[in-house]
Amino acid sequence: MQTIDRVLAGLRAWLNARLANRVIAAALAVNILLLFFMGIGAYGLTHRLLDGYIGQSLHAKAQLYEEKLKTALQGLVVEMQGLAGNSLLSNGLTDDSGRQAYLAPFLNDYIKANPAVRSIRLSDYEGRDLARAEKPDSSAFYDARLIRRVIDSGKIGSVWARGGAQAGRLIVVYPIHFAPTRTVEGTLSAEIDVPALFRSLLADPPRTEVVRLVRGRTKLLTVAAPQAVGQALLTTRVALEAFAPLAATGLEVEVAVERDAVFAPLFYLAVSYLLLAAVALLVLVFAVRWISRRVTEPLHLLSQDASRIADGEVLGSLHVPEPQDKGEIHDLARALNHMLRAMQTAKSELERRVAERTQELESAREIFSGVLRSAKDILWSSTPDGRFIYISPAIEAITQRPVEAFLAQPHLWSSLVVDEDKHLVSTSAADLLQEKSGTHVYRIARPGGEMRWIENRFEVVFDEDGRAVRLDGIASDITQKMAAQQALEASEKKYREVVDHLKEVVFKTDADGRWLFLNPAWEEITGFSLAESLGRPFLHYVHPDDRKRNLEVFLPLIEGRKTHCRHEVRYLKNDGEICWIEVNARAVHDGERVLGTNGTLSDISQRKAAEAVLRLRERAMSSSSNGITLCDANDPNLPIIYVNPAFERITGYKQDEVLGLNCRFLQRGDAYQPQMAELREALSQHKECKVILRNYRKDGAMFWNELSVSPVRDETGRVTHFVGIQTDITRRKLVEAILQARTRRLNTIFALSPDGFVSFDSDGQLDYINPAFSRMTGLVEQDLLGISLETFDETLRNLCDPTQPYASAAKAAALAAGDGGAAAGTGNLQRRKAERETLHLIRPEHLILQRSVRREADNSAALIFYFRNVTREREVDRMKSDFLSTAAHELRTPMASIFGFAELLLNRRYDEETQRDLLSTIHQQAGRLTELLNELLDLARIEARQSKDFDYRCLPLSPVIRQTLAAFLLPAGRSPVRLTLEDDLPDCLIDPAKIQQALTNVIANAYKFSPDGGEVKMTVHAETLGAQRYVCIAVTDCGIGLTPDQLGHVFERFYRADSSGRIAGTGLGLSVVKEIIELHGGFVKIDSQYGKGTVVALALPAHPPAGALSSGERASTG
Amino acid sequence: MFKSILAPLLLAASLGTFVSTCAAASVKPAVYLGLDAEFSSQTSTSDDAIRAGMELAIEEINAAGGVLDGRPLGLRISDNRTLPARGVENVRRLARDPNLVAIFCGKFSPVALELLPLVHRIGLPLMDPWAAADSIVDNGRPVNYVFRLSLRDGWAIASMLRHARRSGLRRVGVLLPNTAWGRSAYANVRRYTTGDAALKVTVQWYNLAGDVSYLGHYQALRAAGAQGVLFVGNEDGGALLIKAIASLPVESRLPLISHFGITGGDIVALSGPALLKVDVSVVQTFSFLKYSSERHRRIADQAQKRLAAAGPGRVNSVVGFAQAYDLVHILAKAIDAAGRADRAAIRDALERLPVHHGLIKIYRRPFTTERHEALHEQDVFIARFAPDGTLRPVDDMRSGGR
């Protein structure tokens, strides 16, 4: 302990001896800490990086295994989905007695071909077993609730089997959609042995790691390198991504490696670091000691100078010596000297500014005193209790008393107020303080008894605490102003009494046209109150159409170009009516300029109305489009005494030519018209009458004249005149004829239209259906005519499928009415399309009709319904959707693989071998996808063009076949096709390129489906079938062959006889072949024996084709 | 979908009829007939036709005072969706009502065949107005509870083969469903062609539910040299087959002779224009066009009204309507003859009924102890579709008079 104490005391003494020692000690301590933490950090970081790298590497491997497992499992699940759609299973549901004969072998074949599928069972709608196939170690697991759920929902369900040995069995249950009812009537349950599937994917056993398949806590499968078993392990897990159509499986792939092998290099790295750190510290000690001594010496000197300043030496005499060497010490000394000089300068500047401000204040005070002396108003200031502090000299002129008297006597001012006005003044100081500010007007008496009017304005001044400190005010002498005001009021009173009783409005405006004065007559005429009108521009009350004209009259007055004016304009009244006003206005001058106008407004509305009626009648007569004649009834010849311009236009005669004549001159020789007698009868009996006559214009042209004649009677009832109204209805007659012809044409069009039409009249009763509608609905016109829209709705509803929503016709009509209303008033027939509705008819036949409704806008109750048969379009749409969904299904599987493996390659690094493996999978799947798309495009093109782009030529088949064989790329190790050609083959009408395509597909299939080798033969011979001679090309292989069931499907698109996936293909090849051969007028036949081989025969009609290839027939085969 | 919604509505409608009838009879409980048919089927019209025939007959019987001294007849309906398993379950449920005295089946022979064990175990008469498999009636039970007023496959096959021979065909292809019905028909094909060197037969099987194209089956028969095709199947398969044949060049289209199953739906609508391109003959047992009496005209009007048909020759599944109509009237007589709503007594009474003037014919004795078929082979005839969709009997092809 003593030794330690001595060492510590020695250390303390060493530290206190010099600043340099303390610097050395501090630097040493800091560096030791730094090296310690750097060492710890570097170790941790390296450990972490190594751990991360190993983790990433393991994760990448786990993801690779996961992707492989996902792809395989998805492929299997999707394939089983296809199995559930097999028609044989649906058939089995209806065939209780016979299904065992074919279902069990069918399912057994299937599970034999798929090692990972342990069992398959077909159940009915209640989950009862109908058929099953299983391997010996099947779990026999059965989940009735899951099956019930799948049947109810129609969606695929899955569950894991329970129990140790079968823990890795995934039970997938597929709904079976029963075609006749489109309901789910059974299920197909498949038991998939996931560990077995996973093991089959691990082609090579792992070299260093352990691979496990795990679900929750259960290890389903462990595959390990021998040396890794039993060691502490670094582990990573990757969960199997959920994929359609299954939900999350809960599966995880685990990959692990030995921990010790990974972290051994890290120990050697740590020891090396410690040795290097010790050497670095030793070097540091020596370096810091030398540096600190050099640095601390000048500081000591500077601290002495600073002490002198602190001791209070005079600023002017102080100067700190600056060292010669540049550096922080030199800069510090220099800065200190600068600071001292700046302090001296600031002090002098401050003293100069104080002197300047004092002088400015004195000068302002003098100016203010001069202003106060010259002011006529009294400026005053008093204490809150009423004693004057200051009064300006003007008080002497106003009160004729000296200032000093008011300063000496606080109540002198209030004593001057005359007795009558004393109540106007707040005499007590408290009252004034209460008011805070105000103006008092009152009279005071001068010593001689003369009264002066005073206006005293004051304001109370408060300090920061809200207490009143004084009152400031101005008192003015307003005696002259008060006298003038009283005189003016008296004059105005007289003037107003006169003006208020005038019936005309007396007005005055300013130069901007604003009302300055209006008498009460304004209110009587316009209804606007004086209060609201004064101050507003007079134009505001003028009718908008007359404002421009009114301005043209007003502006010359204001501009001085005229002295007065008189005009008539329309004014607006408060009740919205209009009144006619006669305006008499005169400009008001002040000698130099126009100040405004004054004058009177007289209401002349009644006079104007009477004038308008007269003018209207006169104009109506002359502007009428009908001819008007006036005949004198006193003369037996009824001579014309007046005709209007329309009469001149219609007949071509001028007024002068016809005055005095009887109207019969218009008939020329055509006097014997049936309606003439009726006209004569009416005239003789002085009755009104209307007839249609053939009349003739001056140029001889005939026109149809609709003539109305009325007698005119005087006050005594005697007929004095006859008025005749002529209307030229020639055009109307023509239009009627055209309309009748058009109606006949339209009826024919409607009768021939394939679309249905139904119309309702304006009373809402059905008035027309066309034959097409009858054909669609089986309803006949006689049964429907006169029914209401609601009954029609009910009739249609009865024909419709009750499970489909029925769109009410009445509702559609109401909708159309809403649309039509917005466009009403145009006068044309508005036909607006209501929303298209679809009706699903089940009687008299299944039809889908599209219904539209249109409404006549000017006759809102009349309706036309339009029905179009869209059954075939819908059927084509449905077929298209079916095909697209199948095609998409086929495209999805390769695309999922490409996406998954490409994603892995993007996100992870793999060794070259694994990369090549992944890329070859992607390449293979992309190739499959391309092949699929090419064949789909071929098929689509062939179907769409229907052989229109085929280049048919009459050719011998032999060269085409030989070229095809020569161009065919033989698979490695296979012998070429053995060709047998019959002599004297007839020519065929073919497109050689298409035939080559079909042959290539057939030959490629023959090689593909004979994977174990064997010869492929082609024989070509001529054969007569019925009346037609054909050239038959038969391609025979010794391959795997087809079962009878497979044979039934080979021409279906996407159907593949090989379900194992070992043989590449798209399932479209034979569809293309069939399309091509059938478009040539031929046919394809396939014969096959399972396990023995297949013969595909293409038969092409020999030329001449006996009409088989006529364009009409080819079209009909599509 | 359509049928699944319709079935409860129909049930409600029939219950409504029942309620109103009950109100009229005020106290007496109804005697019920059951009908288990394929109401959910998207294409079938035979279910509606059978129901309409039954309802018309029931209305007539109730209007005439009902059965058993004033008890009304009522109808209870269930939907088997064409599936035997559902049919058995439905009948088991309906039979719990002691007032239900007989069950009518629909057109699906597999369903009727699966009902046999149940109806014989519980002693419930099974009235067959359509299903044609021979073994439905020839079921080997000592006490047979099945009574059929319809076609038998044996007669249908014989009639179709006869028509083929008369048409000069020497090689026919037969297309059969892969079910009990198809196997029953196959046995009859073998029976009627064995030893006939002049007529060669090729058989092709198809799946009754789910096959989406029949072109492959048809081409296989053609490739085997068939000059005509005999088809045993229903309207959905029939329509697909007709469309497949119509899609081929004219010289590739063979004549089609069909079992009356294809008229179990609206084959005219389902086939569309294709029907006019194919030579289709079909076996029938009844057509309104063959009769001109006032009674037939009245009932034809009712059938058109109830089944929304454009004419007496356009009534879809008209044989189902007529057969169900006659069978209900015969059953009502048996109920009265039994004197009580006892199933076994009614079964016995059915075998003892005297002459009945039916819609299809005059039944001398509808059923006997030995014979549970109300129709005879002579009642079968061949019909063809006119361009307007009317199904017209081919007089010269009739295999026998009435």
Side-chain angles (χ1 to χ4, degrees):
Chain A
M1 285 301 287
Q2 283 180 349
T3 315
I4 293 169
D5 287 343
R6 270 205 303 278
V7 170
L8 285 176
L11 192 62
R12 267 197 295 277
W14 181 74
L15 283 172
N16 292 333
R18 292 201 63 172
L19 176 61
N21 294 350
R22 292 199 289 278
V23 170
I24 292 165
L28 199 59
V30 166
N31 276 289
I32 286 171
L33 277 175
L34 204 64
L35 285 170
F36 176 73
F37 285 119
M38 271 174 63
I40 293 289
Y43 182 83
L45 192 65
T46 313
H47 188 281
R48 193 184 165 86
L49 285 173
L50 194 59
D51 195 32
Y53 173 73
I54 299 295
Q56 274 188 349
S57 166
L58 287 180
H59 194 71
K61 279 190 178 168
Q63 272 195 323
L64 177 60
Y65 291 134
E66 181 265 343
E67 187 61 38
K68 280 185 173 179
L69 178 58
K70 191 180 84 180
T71 306
L73 196 55
Q74 187 175 19
L76 197 54
V77 168
V78 171
E79 189 183 327
M80 300 290 295
Q81 195 175 354
L83 180 67
N86 192 302
S87 63
L88 197 65
L89 300 189
S90 291
N91 190 77
L93 293 176
T94 67
D95 187 16
D96 283 32
S97 55
R99 61 183 161 231
Q100 286 308 329
Y102 50 84
L103 282 182
F106 176 71
L107 297 178
N108 270 319
D109 282 353
Y110 192 84
I111 63 168
K112 274 182 202 157
N114 288 283
V117 180
R118 313 310 296 179
S119 67
I120 302 181
R121 56 212 289 177
L122 175 70
S123 308
D124 72 1
Y125 76 102
E126 289 213 311
R128 291 176 294 229
D129 261 8
L130 301 184
R132 63 161 69 186
E134 51 196 13
K135 289 177 181 162
D137 61 342
S138 145
S139 71
F141 180 78
Y142 178 80
D143 187 338
R145 283 168 60 187
L146 174 64
I147 289 177
R148 185 76 257 153
R149 200 169 67 233
V150 170
I151 289 170
D152 290 345
S153 67
K155 291 177 182 163
I156 294 172
S158 65
V159 68
W160 289 92
R162 284 189 288 274
Q166 278 89 27
R169 304 287 169 82
L170 179 65
I171 316 290
V172 186
V173 182
Y174 300 87
I176 295 180
H177 295 276
F178 191 58
T181 57
R182 298 185 197 165
T183 52
V184 176
E185 294 299 341
T187 59
L188 182 77
S189 308
E191 178 188 350
I192 300 171
D193 187 348
V194 180
L197 183 68
F198 189 50
R199 188 190 294 278
S200 71
L201 300 173
L202 303 175
D204 304 318
R207 288 189 293 273
T208 53
E209 71 272 12
V210 181
V211 181
R212 288 198 187 98
L213 182 65
V214 182
R215 190 170 65 79
R217 292 179 183 172
T218 316
K219 288 175 185 165
L220 301 178
L221 176 71
T222 302
V223 183
Q227 72 272 21
V229 177
Q231 299 287 340
L233 296 172
L234 263 181
T235 304
T236 188
R237 277 190 182 192
V238 170
L240 192 76
E241 267 184 34
F243 58 84
L246 288 192
T249 56
L251 282 172
E252 289 177 294
V253 176
E254 185 179 286
V255 181
V257 289
E258 191 188 341
R259 180 180 289 276
D260 289 352
V262 174
F263 290 111
L266 203 62
F267 172 73
Y268 300 112
L269 195 69
V271 171
S272 312
Y273 178 81
L274 283 176
L275 288 174
L276 279 173
V279 173
L281 281 176
L282 213 59
V283 172
L284 185 82
V285 167
F286 287 107
V288 168
R289 196 173 74 174
W290 183 78
I291 292 165
S292 62
R293 288 194 174 160
R294 292 249 330 158
V295 167
T296 53
E297 196 60 40
L299 272 177
H300 178 67
L301 299 173
L302 203 60
S303 72
Q304 287 176 343
D305 288 337
S307 299
R308 286 171 58 209
I309 295 168
D311 290 344
E313 279 193 25
V314 181
L315 279 177
S317 64
L318 257 177
H319 183 77
V320 178
E322 296 171 8
Q324 291 298 317
D325 298 339
K326 300 277 182 186
E328 286 85 353
I329 307 298
H330 172 264
D331 292 345
L332 193 63
R334 241 180 120 178
L336 205 59
N337 286 330
H338 270 299
M339 191 176 77
L340 289 170
R341 280 196 295 278
M343 282 166 70
Q344 287 164 5
T345 311
K347 186 182 168 193
S348 313
E349 178 65 15
L350 206 61
E351 284 169 355
R352 190 183 60 75
R353 283 197 184 171
V354 167
E356 274 177 14
R357 293 283 181 273
T358 311
Q359 198 174 352
E360 283 171 7
L361 190 65
E362 280 301 320
S363 141
R365 191 176 289 161
E366 279 175 21
I367 291 166
F368 183 63
S369 301
V371 168
L372 285 181
R373 274 195 299 279
S374 61
K376 287 188 176 176
D377 294 338
I378 306 162
L379 272 69
W380 56 269
S381 184
S382 76
T383 60
D385 58 1
R387 278 184 290 107
F388 286 109
I389 301 166
Y390 172 78
I391 301 179
S392 66
I395 201 166
E396 290 180 358
I398 291 171
T399 62
Q400 296 181 348
R401 284 186 173 81
V403 173
E404 292 74 20
F406 290 97
L407 291 174
Q409 303 170 46
H411 300 294
L412 177 57
W413 179 263
S414 52
S415 67
L416 296 182
V417 178
V418 298
D419 293 341
E420 295 88 335
D421 293 352
K422 276 197 191 300
H423 67 279
L424 297 173
V425 188
S426 301
T427 49
S428 75
D431 290 344
L432 291 175
L433 291 175
Q434 193 81 29
E435 288 182 37
K436 292 184 182 169
S437 67
T439 303
H440 296 158
V441 178
Y442 47 83
R443 288 166 294 176
I444 58 168
R446 280 185 175 173
E450 185 190 356
M451 299 289 180
R452 301 304 293 182
W453 280 97
I454 297 297
E455 185 184 71
N456 190 8
R457 298 187 296 278
F458 69 91
E459 192 168 333
V460 183
V461 180
F462 298 92
D463 66 5
E464 288 173 354
D465 300 330
R467 284 191 303 257
V469 291
R470 65 173 197 275
L471 285 89
D472 292 341
I474 298 172
S476 312
D477 183 351
I478 57 166
T479 309
Q480 282 181 359
K481 188 173 135 192
M482 290 300 281
Q485 192 176 336
Q486 281 166 1
L488 188 67
E489 279 172 4
S491 158
E492 271 197 3
K493 194 176 171 190
K494 281 181 200 163
Y495 173 72
R496 192 164 294 277
E497 276 173 3
V498 175
V499 166
D500 284 355
H501 291 90
L502 284 175
K503 286 205 172 177
E504 288 82 9
V505 178
V506 178
F507 70 85
K508 185 176 177 187
T509 70
D510 62 12
D512 294 330
R514 289 195 190 81
W515 294 128
L516 295 179
F517 173 78
L518 289 163
N519 68 341
W522 170 259
E523 285 185 344
E524 282 172 26
I525 292 174
T526 65
F528 292 107
S529 72
L530 292 178
E532 68 176 299
S533 307
L534 289 176
R536 303 188 79 161
F538 75 87
L539 274 181
H540 179 76
Y541 299 94
V542 175
H543 190 281
D545 294 347
D546 293 353
R547 282 175 189 166
K548 192 179 168 202
R549 189 160 58 84
N550 205 345
L551 263 183
E552 285 167 2
V553 178
F554 176 72
L555 286 176
L557 284 183
I558 293 301
E559 288 163 2
R561 288 186 276 123
K562 283 175 76 177
T563 55
H564 63 278
C565 69
R566 182 181 167 283
H567 60 280
E568 293 171 358
V569 291
R570 284 171 293 173
Y571 265 62
L572 301 170
K573 292 168 77 167
N574 197 15
D575 57 5
E577 295 289 318
I578 292 165
C579 57
W580 275 96
I581 297 292
E582 185 182 278
V583 182
N584 283 292
R586 182 174 293 278
V588 179
H589 296 263
D590 68 348
E592 291 179 1
R593 58 195 175 91
V594 178
L595 296 176
T597 61
N598 60 18
T600 59
L601 309 174
S602 310
D603 184 358
I604 55 166
S605 298
Q606 284 183 355
R607 193 186 85 203
K608 279 284 179 186
E611 286 171 5
V613 170
L614 277 175
R615 269 199 305 279
L616 190 66
R617 284 182 187 165
E618 194 179 312
R619 205 175 302 133
M621 289 276 277
S622 57
S623 64
S624 165
S625 63
N626 295 41
I628 298 172
T629 53
L630 208 55
C631 300
D632 186 354
N634 296 321
D635 187 328
N637 195 36
L638 300 178
I640 296 170
I641 57 167
Y642 168 80
V643 295
N644 71 342
F647 178 90
E648 294 178 340
R649 273 200 308 280
I650 291 171
T651 63
Y653 292 102
K654 292 288 166 200
Q655 186 171 16
D656 301 341
E657 297 172 277
V658 300
L659 289 182
L661 297 178
N662 182 286
C663 283
R664 73 174 71 91
F665 76 91
L666 287 171
Q667 293 162 26
R668 299 209 172 169
D670 195 4
Y672 299 100
Q673 296 183 34
Q675 295 205 331
M676 278 305 294
E678 189 186 336
L679 177 63
R680 286 193 199 98
E681 175 77 13
L683 289 175
S684 63
Q685 295 183 8
H686 294 173
K687 285 182 181 169
E688 290 184 358
C689 135
K690 190 171 191 175
V691 292
I692 295 176
L693 301 172
R694 283 190 301 277
N695 281 176
Y696 296 86
R697 295 193 176 88
K698 187 179 178 183
D699 59 8
M702 191 276 281
F703 70 97
W704 286 98
N705 183 6
E706 188 179 70
L707 176 65
S708 295
V709 180
S710 307
V712 181
R713 296 172 192 275
D714 63 11
E715 297 80 3
T716 61
R718 192 177 63 87
V719 174
T720 57
H721 296 88
F722 284 101
V723 178
I725 312 283
Q726 280 97 355
T727 311
D728 180 356
I729 59 165
T730 314
R731 188 170 171 72
R732 195 175 89 198
K733 284 265 186 190
L734 193 66
V735 169
E736 278 173 8
I738 292 170
L739 209 58
Q740 280 166 2
R742 182 175 294 175
T743 307
R744 279 197 298 277
R745 274 205 306 277
L746 274 178
N747 282 341
T748 311
I749 290 168
F750 280 126
L752 295 177
S753 166
D755 299 328
F757 289 94
V758 176
S759 75
F760 284 83
D761 62 16
S762 55
D763 296 329
Q765 292 185 332
L766 190 146
D767 62 354
Y768 175 74
I769 70 169
N770 74 338
F773 181 76
S774 284
R775 281 198 297 278
M776 286 174 185
T777 60
L779 300 170
V780 290
E781 192 169 24
Q782 293 82 341
D783 295 344
L784 296 180
L785 284 180
I787 65 170
S788 68
L789 189 55
E790 288 70 26
T791 316
F792 177 68
D793 233 356
E794 199 49 45
T795 312
L796 264 191
R797 192 196 298 274
N798 285 336
L799 299 182
C800 286
D801 183 347
T803 62
Q804 297 288 341
Y806 175 76
S808 158
K811 214 162 158 184
L815 189 72
D819 287 350
T826 57
N828 297 321
L829 188 69
Q830 296 284 329
R831 303 181 75 181
R832 287 209 169 204
K833 201 189 214 172
E835 194 177 346
R836 281 182 188 163
E837 303 283 6
T838 304
L839 305 179
H840 296 262
L841 257 59
I842 53 169
R843 297 186 196 90
E845 54 184 328
H846 283 269
L847 287 180
I848 302 174
L849 302 184
Q850 201 171 61
R851 186 191 64 204
S852 317
V853 58
R854 295 176 190 188
R855 183 179 281 277
E856 294 176 22
D858 58 348
N859 186 358
S860 60
L863 287 168
I864 297 169
F865 286 96
Y866 165 69
F867 294 85
R868 196 160 77 84
N869 185 352
V870 294
T871 316
R872 179 158 170 73
E873 292 166 27
R874 295 296 172 94
E875 179 62 13
V876 169
D877 281 352
R878 190 190 60 72
M879 285 165 66
K880 198 169 71 186
S881 302
D882 285 354
F883 172 73
L884 281 178
S885 98
T886 315
H889 178 78
E890 288 299 322
L891 293 172
R892 188 174 59 181
T893 311
M895 193 50 98
S897 290
I898 291 171
F899 184 79
F901 287 116
E903 198 174 34
L904 274 183
L905 277 172
L906 272 177
N907 296 331
R908 300 282 170 233
R909 286 190 181 281
Y910 293 105
D911 56 54
E912 198 172 337
E913 191 187 343
T914 314
Q915 276 187 19
R916 181 176 294 281
D917 183 27
L918 296 182
L919 283 170
S920 73
T921 307
I922 291 176
H923 182 257
Q924 188 188 347
Q925 294 293 347
R928 176 167 149 65
L929 205 57
T930 310
E931 192 186 347
L932 200 64
L933 289 172
N934 282 340
E935 294 201 336
L936 266 180
L937 285 173
D938 274 349
L939 207 54
R941 198 160 44 232
I942 292 168
E943 279 189 352
R945 297 295 302 154
Q946 284 290 299
S947 85
K948 284 177 201 142
D949 58 350
F950 278 27
D951 179 17
Y952 288 112
R953 278 177 279 166
C954 189
L955 294 171
L957 267 177
S958 314
V960 178
I961 292 169
R962 286 185 201 287
Q963 279 169 19
T964 311
L965 292 180
F968 184 72
L969 191 63
L970 272 181
R974 300 296 296 269
S975 52
V977 175
R978 190 150 68 84
L979 177 66
T980 311
L981 267 170
E982 195 178 74
D983 293 337
D984 301 329
L985 284 172
D987 291 355
C988 294
L989 192 62
I990 55 168
D991 177 339
K994 297 288 186 247
I995 293 295
Q996 278 191 6
Q997 185 184 358
L999 282 175
T1000 306
N1001 279 3
V1002 174
I1003 297 166
N1005 271 357
Y1007 277 105
K1008 275 197 290 189
F1009 286 91
S1010 51
D1012 301 328
E1015 195 173 42
V1016 175
K1017 289 186 282 189
M1018 181 187 280
T1019 54
V1020 188
H1021 66 280
E1023 192 176 333
T1024 304
L1025 297 171
Q1028 177 67 51
R1029 191 158 172 74
Y1030 289 91
V1031 178
C1032 298
I1033 307 165
V1035 178
T1036 311
D1037 68 57
C1038 310
I1040 57 174
L1042 298 163
T1043 63
D1045 184 50
Q1046 288 173 330
L1047 204 54
H1049 296 285
V1050 285
F1051 291 119
E1052 289 174 15
R1053 287 171 195 186
F1054 301 110
Y1055 180 79
R1056 303 203 52 231
D1058 169 59
S1059 55
S1060 68
R1062 288 195 303 273
I1063 299 174
T1066 60
L1068 289 170
L1070 276 178
S1071 302
V1072 175
V1073 172
K1074 185 164 173 287
E1075 287 287 340
I1076 291 175
I1077 299 299
E1078 287 183 355
L1079 285 171
H1080 279 81
F1083 60 87
V1084 184
K1085 190 185 157 197
I1086 298 189
D1087 210 0
S1088 182
Q1089 272 194 297
Y1090 188 63
K1092 293 193 175 169
T1094 306
V1095 184
V1096 180
L1098 315 180
L1100 289 164
H1103 190 73
L1109 278 173
S1110 72
S1111 61
E1113 193 49 55
R1114 276 206 303 276
S1116 74
T1117 62
Chain B
M1 186 66 190
F2 157 59
K3 293 284 182 175
S4 64
I5 292 171
L6 190 61
L9 291 177
L10 292 174
L11 190 60
S14 67
L15 286 176
T17 313
F18 158 64
V19 169
S20 60
T21 318
C22 271
S26 74
V27 284
K28 296 193 174 175
V31 174
Y32 286 111
L33 311 182
L35 169 59
D36 178 60
E38 64 290 354
F39 290 106
S40 294
S41 169
Q42 300 288 313
T43 53
S44 178
T45 55
S46 62
D47 49 351
D48 295 331
I50 292 170
R51 179 181 55 79
M54 288 182 75
E55 283 177 349
L56 179 61
I58 288 171
E59 283 168 24
E60 288 175 357
I61 292 161
N62 286 342
V67 293
L68 300 176
D69 289 333
R71 288 179 67 177
L73 269 184
L75 181 60
R76 289 205 160 148
I77 283 171
S78 60
D79 175 14
N80 60 37
R81 304 192 189 178
T82 78
L83 292 169
R86 284 195 183 271
V88 171
E89 195 56 40
N90 290 342
V91 173
R92 185 177 287 129
R93 185 168 44 77
L94 287 175
R96 286 186 198 131
D97 182 354
N99 288 320
L100 185 119
V101 296
I103 185 81
F104 283 62
C105 62
K107 76 171 164 212
F108 280 85
S109 288
V111 181
L113 286 168
E114 286 306 311
L115 288 175
L116 293 177
L118 175 68
V119 296
H120 285 93
R121 194 169 67 248
I122 61 177
L124 177 68
L126 173 63
M127 312 304 285
D128 178 359
W130 189 297
D134 292 357
S135 49
I136 297 172
V137 173
D138 307 345
N139 54 49
R141 261 78 174 182
V143 179
N144 192 350
Y145 268 86
V146 183
F147 295 87
R148 171 154 61 195
L149 198 161
S150 180
L151 183 69
R152 277 172 70 90
D153 279 338
W155 305 340
I157 298 296
S159 181
M160 288 156 74
L161 287 169
R162 196 178 305 124
H163 184 62
R165 288 187 185 104
R166 287 184 184 179
S167 304
L169 306 181
R170 293 290 166 262
R171 194 169 190 102
V172 292
V174 184
L175 201 48
L176 298 172
N178 189 11
T179 63
W181 182 26
R183 289 186 285 276
S184 161
Y186 180 60
N188 282 305
V189 170
R190 301 262 322 250
R191 180 178 152 206
Y192 288 110
T193 54
T194 306
D196 182 355
L199 188 67
K200 299 288 177 204
V201 170
T202 307
V203 173
Q204 181 79 15
W205 296 89
Y206 70 92
N207 290 329
L208 192 61
D211 274 0
V212 292
S213 169
Y214 282 59
L215 194 57
H217 299 308
Y218 174 75
Q219 292 289 40
L221 291 176
R222 260 194 79 219
Q227 297 165 323
V229 174
L230 269 53
F231 178 66
V232 176
N234 290 325
E235 69 285 351
D236 45 355
L240 287 172
L241 179 59
I242 290 167
K243 284 181 177 172
I245 297 174
S247 71
L248 296 173
V250 175
E251 66 275 10
S252 303
R253 299 177 197 160
L254 302 180
L256 177 67
I257 306 167
S258 174
H259 195 283
F260 81 170
I262 67 164
T263 57
D266 189 353
I267 189 72
V268 178
L270 290 172
S271 310
L275 189 59
L276 299 178
K277 295 183 183 172
V278 182
D279 173 10
V280 182
S281 314
V282 61
V283 172
Q284 290 286 277
T285 57
F286 178 77
S287 167
F288 279 118
L289 302 180
K290 290 172 63 179
Y291 306 88
S292 55
S293 74
E294 181 53 36
R295 180 186 175 211
H296 281 94
R297 264 203 296 276
R298 179 177 56 76
I299 294 174
D301 285 347
Q302 283 290 326
Q304 287 175 66
K305 200 171 139 195
R306 287 165 193 252
L307 297 169
R314 294 288 303 273
V315 177
N316 282 326
S317 311
V318 68
V319 293
F321 178 86
Q323 289 167 177
Y325 175 84
D326 276 358
L327 199 50
V328 170
H329 272 294
I330 290 168
L331 179 62
K333 284 186 173 177
I335 294 169
D336 279 334
R340 60 189 193 279
D342 180 86
R343 295 166 180 174
I346 292 168
R347 193 213 78 87
D348 294 343
L350 277 165
E351 291 181 341
R352 298 194 307 272
L353 285 179
V355 65
H356 171 71
H357 289 259
L359 183 66
I360 300 176
K361 65 173 190 175
I362 299 167
Y363 304 85
R364 292 192 185 286
R365 284 189 65 190
F367 302 107
T368 63
T369 314
E370 295 76 27
R371 197 169 192 285
H372 279 211
E373 301 277 7
L375 296 183
H376 291 81
E377 191 170 353
Q378 301 92 292
D379 299 322
V380 180
F381 60 90
I382 296 287
R384 284 175 187 277
F385 290 97
D388 66 348
T390 303
L391 189 56
R392 291 191 179 283
V394 182
D395 287 339
D396 57 346
M397 290 293 173
R398 278 183 57 183
S399 52
R402 262 170 26 87

